[in-house]
Amino acid sequence: MAAKIPDRIVEQVAVVGNLKDAGRIVRERYTGVVDRIAYYYPVPEGDSVEKWRTFTDAARGTA
């Protein structure tokens, strides 16, 4: 099924990239459109807070 859906379509409906890129994409795509965004991504046990801070800082525009 994945082979039948072009990347350009996936990128229109999903946020795709590493944590820093994903945060930037979220900020660019939704600034001025929404007031809040809730993420549902279970953080794996043992992942560092700093790793995820890369994403949140990029999403906030503080990275």
Side-chain angles (χ1 to χ4, degrees):
M1 184 67 163
K4 294 183 183 257
I5 302 172
D7 288 345
R8 64 184 173 74
I9 299 298
V10 172
E11 291 169 359
Q12 292 295 311
V13 297
V15 175
V16 180
N18 63 39
L19 289 174
K20 189 171 186 176
D21 290 342
R24 177 186 51 76
I25 292 165
V26 165
R27 184 180 73 254
E28 290 171 356
R29 189 177 291 177
Y30 297 109
T31 295
V33 178
V34 298
D35 293 324
R36 294 182 183 156
I37 295 176
Y39 302 97
Y40 178 73
Y41 183 82
V43 177
E45 188 174 329
D47 266 7
S48 73
V49 171
E50 290 304 315
K51 174 183 172 183
W52 290 95
R53 188 163 290 149
T54 299
F55 173 80
T56 55
D57 287 350
R60 289 181 181 140
T62 59

